[in-house]
Amino acid sequence: RDHHCPWVNNCVGQHNERPFVLFVGAAAVICLIAVIWFLMRLALDPAVGPICFIRCLVPIHRTKRSLEAFEVCQCVDAMAVSSGVFFALVTSVMTSYLFINYVESIQDNSTLIEEWIIEDYNKMKASCHKVKKGPYNLGAKENWKTFIGPSIPEFVCPLGKHEHNGIHYPVRDGVPPFLMQEMQQELLQQRMRKIKAEEAAEEEGAARGDNRD
């Protein structure tokens, strides 16, 4: 399992990673097309946009008159295009950023949780003992083969089951098969030692305070 995504109300893992990445990529492309369409509309049609919207409201304030029907439609259109540019641009940036992060994860054949484990583990270890690659990183070519699956049609329409069992995955040559679990165990032991040291320090401080009294 990679992580829980609130946008799809489900956890992203082995059986739904491919459709999730396709969904995010398609959303990024659609939002980018929307941004281009809105910008073209602003460039080619001078009757829309925030400036036109302000120009529609200024005469109303000065003359205290009511808007004509075509002026109402013009104001609504200008407001819709202006807000559409903003929301499409923000959504495009967010989905593109998420898609790029997932492409990097596919390139390294690692999940977000595994990246966090390796990062915490490297903070704990000296430079000579740091882990540079995850145990499941078989190289960019093999990683993409694993993600795409046995055929392109099954990748584009991922309705079948994943070829792996979800428990055991191939690791690089010379890497222990349970390296990730060993790193998690070391991190857990370090945290337990830290908690015990903090509790001992608190007890020692409390005992010193009692002795002074």
Side-chain angles (χ1 to χ4, degrees):
R1 186 177 69 179
D2 192 348
H3 70 287
H4 182 81
C5 178
W7 303 107
V8 296
N9 193 27
N10 198 2
C11 292
V12 180
Q14 173 181 276
H15 294 294
N16 62 351
E17 183 182 25
R18 292 170 185 165
F20 179 78
V21 173
L22 291 175
F23 162 72
V24 173
V29 172
I30 291 172
C31 291
L32 183 60
I33 293 174
V35 170
I36 295 173
W37 184 86
F38 280 121
L39 292 177
M40 289 179 62
R41 181 81 189 280
L42 288 174
L44 299 177
D45 191 353
V48 298
I51 297 177
C52 180
F53 180 65
I54 295 172
R55 286 176 179 173
C56 289
L57 296 180
V58 169
I60 304 171
H61 177 70
R62 289 180 179 177
T63 61
K64 305 298 181 181
R65 67 176 178 82
S66 60
L67 284 173
E68 300 291 340
F70 77 93
E71 291 176 323
V72 174
C73 294
Q74 191 177 27
C75 282
V76 172
D77 191 22
M79 184 174 60
V81 173
S82 302
S83 58
V85 171
F86 174 75
F87 287 113
L89 184 61
V90 171
T91 310
S92 177
V93 171
M94 292 174 61
T95 53
S96 299
Y97 176 76
L98 181 59
F99 181 70
I100 291 172
N101 280 344
Y102 248 95
V103 169
E104 293 177 352
S105 296
I106 296 169
Q107 187 84 2
D108 298 332
N109 199 19
S110 63
T111 65
L112 294 176
I113 296 175
E114 291 169 356
E115 292 175 2
W116 293 338
I117 292 173
I118 293 174
E119 183 179 354
D120 291 342
Y121 182 82
N122 288 336
K123 290 179 181 177
M124 181 181 66
K125 291 293 184 180
S127 58
C128 58
H129 297 289
K130 288 186 177 181
V131 177
K132 296 181 179 179
K133 294 182 179 180
Y136 310 110
N137 190 345
L138 307 177
K141 186 177 180 180
E142 291 297 325
N143 293 341
W144 278 102
K145 281 184 178 180
T146 302
F147 173 72
I148 293 174
S151 64
I152 297 296
E154 291 186 15
F155 169 71
V156 176
C157 187
L159 300 177
K161 292 185 177 181
H162 203 280
E163 54 271 16
H164 293 295
N165 58 12
I167 301 175
H168 301 290
Y169 292 93
V171 297
R172 296 196 318 274
D173 294 337
V175 176
F178 300 103
L179 176 62
M180 192 62 63
Q181 290 83 345
E182 293 173 1
M183 287 192 292
Q184 285 181 287
Q185 188 67 26
E186 285 193 42
L187 287 171
L188 180 60
Q189 291 174 356
Q190 184 203 33
R191 289 170 185 168
M192 293 300 297
R193 288 194 295 268
K194 185 178 179 181
I195 292 173
K196 290 181 180 179
E198 291 176 353
E199 291 177 350
E202 290 178 359
E203 292 177 358
E204 184 178 354
R208 288 179 181 176
D210 294 340
N211 293 332
R212 289 176 183 176
D213 294 338

